[in-house]
Structure formats: C-alpha cells, structure tokens
C-alpha cells in the first residue's frame, strides 16, 4: 500500500484548484452566451440529471439555483425515461446533465428525451467529445484533466465550480462574481487544512452520520459516498433538519457524527444539532468557517457561502484519502467498482 500522499486520489484532489482556475477561464465565453440566451428566454424551471458523485453536485446546484435565481430546480429520475420510457413535458426547461464520462446510457436517453421535449440541454462533462457532449445544446467541459482514481475528486469539485460560475454570471450578483474569482486560492488554502483528528477518530469506526443542509447537503452526500467506497465505512448523509425525524434515535456514545455547517442562515441550526449529539456522548466533528474549539475541523475563510461546500469537500478529500490508507484500503481501486459506471 502506498503512503497516503502517494495515492492517485491524493494527487488528483490536490490538482483541483488549478483545474477550477483553468475551467473558469476556458468556459467564460460559453457561459456568457448561455446566460444571454437564458435571460432572453427564461426557463420555467430547471431539471438536473446525474448519478453518483455527479448527482451530489446536482444537489448543490439545486440549492444554488434556487437561492440565487429563485428558479425551482428538480432532480430527474433517470429510470423514468430510460426504463419506464415516459416522455416528461419539458418545453421551456433548462435541463442540466452532469457526468464525468458522458457515456452512461440512462443519462444519454434522458437527455435525448429532454431535447426532444423542447428543453435546452446543458452538459457538464469531463470528456468533452463524449456522447452526452455531442447531444447537448450547450457543453461546459469540466477541464479536470485525466482522473485515474476510481474515487472522483477534482472532477466533482469542477462540477460544483461550473455550477457556481453559471449561477454567478446568470444572476449578475457582484458578491458571487467576486467569489468565483477568489475560489481557486481558497481551494488551495482548504487543501492545507489539518483534519487528522477525524482520521484518528474514525480509523476503527464502522458507521457514522454525515450532516449538512441547504447548500451543504450535497457535500454531506458526497462525503458519505466516499466513506463507503474508499474506507469500507458505512456512512449515511442526512439533512441536519431531516435527521431529527427518526434517524437521530440511533446516535449515542458509539455513533460518530460528522457535520458540515454553512456560514449562512442555516449554519447555526446544523451546529446546534451537532452539539446536541455531542451532549449525548457521540463523537462529533464539525466543519464550519470561523468556528473554533474542541471537535472543530478547520476551514479557511470562505469567499461566499456558496463556496463553502466546495472548500469543505476539498479539505475532506485529504482526510478521507488518509483514512482509507489508515484502514488498510486502497482508495484508488475500491472493491467491485469501475471508474465509468454505465446504468440503464
């Protein structure tokens, strides 16, 4: 087994800031042209379509679009089009398909259905000449570069960044636009954060909850997936509001909790739930910009709350890679998984 800093996962996650900066420069003109179209013909609503890590990016996109643009954003169930063969009514809709490979048959079929139904199809893909890219009306390449580890890192962060750049330019919000410019350097700072307390605390764990809410929910979903695939650790992601509707009954002294709290209106609520679990004796770690004290995982100052989940995941990737190696796993080759997953 390689040392933790010699895995592909570590190497590729460390490249995220440069990849995001490259993407922002390369996609600016394409996004401006798309925004001009969207302002001239505003969509009725937005539909996302994705699987796996890309669907966690879509969760982030939902909250981002709804909070910055006021546009209802829904996640398409790929099987509705690919298996049930139903044609949804998507005239006047912005359909955002997110995929690293751009090859999965169910995403392709749903993008075809959306396009035939009158939607404007935007593809966020890392493979710019993929079948999905060729099908789309607008292609936003992720520019993450080759990714050898089965566990996606920089391509996921580039997906979030592409959604952020689109929302910023579409909304025209000055603070969000400035945050886009500041994001690459903030990502570099996030990569340097020391989350070794989390690695030590979870080395022998066999289950945990990962909490987030709003813009941070997708980050929690992504973290839970990475725990499962790279560490063999059963993790479930919950909204910090939803966890109180039943799942919290499981939490006690032997049940760890990792909480990602936003630096916005909902952050205090997430931190409060984490504190409640800590009072029960549960091992709790909290990541939140500006927070300090026992159990706090450090994060750099965030340029904007919409950037915070991106910085959180960047810091998390370093920790989960180290945890995977500490638990005797190879994060680059999880058992039973392939880099490209094709579902119908």
């Amino acid at each position: 087994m390689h040392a933790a800093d010699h895995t592909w996962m570590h190497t590729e996650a460390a490249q995220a800031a440069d990849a995001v900066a490259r993407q922002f420069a390369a996609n600016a003109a394409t996004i401006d042209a798309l925004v001009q179209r969207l302002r001239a013909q505003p969509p009725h609503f937005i539909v996302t379509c994705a699987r796996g890590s890309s669907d966690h990016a879509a969760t982030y996109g939902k909250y981002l679009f709804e909070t910055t643009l006021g546009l209802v954003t829904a996640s398409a169930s790929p099987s509705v089009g690919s298996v049930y063969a139903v044609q949804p009514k998507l005239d006047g809709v912005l359909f955002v398909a997110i995929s690293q490979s751009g090859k999965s048959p169910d995403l392709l079929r749903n993008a075809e259905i959306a396009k035939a139904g009158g939607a404007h199809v935007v593809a966020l893909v890392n493979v710019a000449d993929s079948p999905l890219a060729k099908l789309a009306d607008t292609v936003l390449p992720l520019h993450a570069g080759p990714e050898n580890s089965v566990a996606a890192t920089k391509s996921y962060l580039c997906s979030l960044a592409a959604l952020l750049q689109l929302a910023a330019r579409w909304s025209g919000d000055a603070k969000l636009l400035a945050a886009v410019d500041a994001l690459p350097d903030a990502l570099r700072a996030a990569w340097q954060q020391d989350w070794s307390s989390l690695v030590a605390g979870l080395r022998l764990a066999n289950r945990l909850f990962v909490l987030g809410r709003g813009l941070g929910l997708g980050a929690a979903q992504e973290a839970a997936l990475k725990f499962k695939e790279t560490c063999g650790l059963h993790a479930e992601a919950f909204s910090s509001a939803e966890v109180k509707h039943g799942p919290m009954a499981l939490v006690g002294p032997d049940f760890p909790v990792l909480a990602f709290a936003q630096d916005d209106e909902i952050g205090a609520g997430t931190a409060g739930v984490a504190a409640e679990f800590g009072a029960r004796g549960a091992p709790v770690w909290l990541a939140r910009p500006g927070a300090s004290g026992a159990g706090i995982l450090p994060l750099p100052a965030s340029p904007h709350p919409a950037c915070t989940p991106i910085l959180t995941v960047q810091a998390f990737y370093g920790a989960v890679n180290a945890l995977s190696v500490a638990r005797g796993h190879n994060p680059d080759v999880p058992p039973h998984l392939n880099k490209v997953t094709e579902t119908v």
Side-chain angles (χ1 to χ4, degrees):
M1 171 61 65
H2 293 302
D5 59 356
H6 286 84
T7 65
W8 275 115
M9 184 180 185
H10 182 277
T11 299
E12 290 165 357
Q15 298 168 353
D18 290 343
V20 167
R22 182 168 63 241
Q23 179 200 89
F24 283 163
N27 287 354
T30 302
I31 285 182
D32 286 344
L34 174 61
V35 165
Q36 187 175 8
R37 183 192 188 283
L38 294 171
R39 287 177 177 169
Q41 302 174 48
H44 302 313
F45 57 93
I46 301 170
V47 171
T48 62
C49 191
R51 293 279 194 196
S53 286
S54 294
D55 198 36
H56 305 154
T59 300
Y60 169 77
K62 169 186 172 62
Y63 285 98
L64 184 66
F65 292 140
E66 292 187 346
T67 57
T68 61
L69 300 164
L71 272 175
V72 171
T73 303
S75 174
S77 299
S79 62
V80 170
S82 63
V83 179
Y84 292 107
V86 173
Q87 169 70 69
K89 297 177 175 61
L90 295 174
D91 184 49
V93 167
L94 180 67
F95 187 91
V96 180
I98 309 172
S99 172
Q100 296 160 52
S101 69
K103 290 172 59 178
S104 190
D106 52 355
L107 297 189
L108 287 170
R109 181 59 188 140
N110 279 273
E112 289 172 348
I113 291 171
K115 191 170 183 178
H120 185 89
V121 176
V122 175
L124 276 60
V125 288
N126 199 34
V127 182
D129 61 351
S130 62
L132 180 60
K134 293 174 182 176
L135 172 66
D137 298 299
T138 301
V139 181
L140 298 180
L142 298 180
H143 295 284
E147 202 168 47
N148 294 289
S149 177
V150 169
T153 53
K154 59 179 177 173
S155 62
Y156 174 77
L157 293 169
C158 283
S159 298
L160 301 188
L163 293 164
L164 180 70
Q165 188 182 29
L166 173 57
R169 292 189 175 236
W170 190 356
S171 69
D173 182 274
K175 291 182 179 178
L176 204 54
L177 288 164
V180 169
D181 293 337
L183 181 60
D185 281 343
L187 278 167
R188 294 183 182 99
W191 183 244
Q192 300 303 319
Q193 302 304 305
D194 180 5
W195 283 25
S196 56
S197 65
L198 182 70
V199 178
L202 294 180
R203 192 176 67 83
L204 300 177
N206 55 30
R207 57 181 181 173
L208 81 154
F209 283 166
V210 188
L211 307 183
R213 192 178 180 190
L215 287 162
L217 180 58
Q221 293 171 336
E222 172 63 7
L225 174 64
K226 286 297 187 286
F227 279 129
K228 286 191 277 272
E229 71 176 343
T230 68
C231 301
L233 176 54
H234 181 218
E236 283 192 85
F238 285 101
S239 158
S240 55
E242 197 65 36
V243 75
K244 302 185 79 167
H245 291 266
M248 69 185 301
L250 293 173
V251 178
D254 298 318
F255 202 115
V257 175
L258 171 60
F260 295 156
Q262 281 291 111
D263 46 347
D264 59 19
E265 299 90 334
I266 63 171
T270 300
V273 172
E276 184 178 343
F277 287 149
R280 295 190 198 177
V284 174
W285 293 267
L286 174 69
R288 188 186 188 192
S292 60
I296 297 299
L297 299 172
L299 285 172
S302 179
H304 189 284
C307 296
T308 302
I310 307 178
L311 305 183
T312 302
V313 172
Q314 175 73 97
F316 168 78
Y317 280 155
V320 77
N321 172 78
L323 179 63
S324 175
V325 173
R327 289 169 66 92
H329 293 260
N330 182 347
D332 298 332
V333 191
H336 317 302
L337 298 178
N338 298 310
K339 181 61 181 172
V340 178
T341 303
E342 297 187 8
T343 47
V344 176

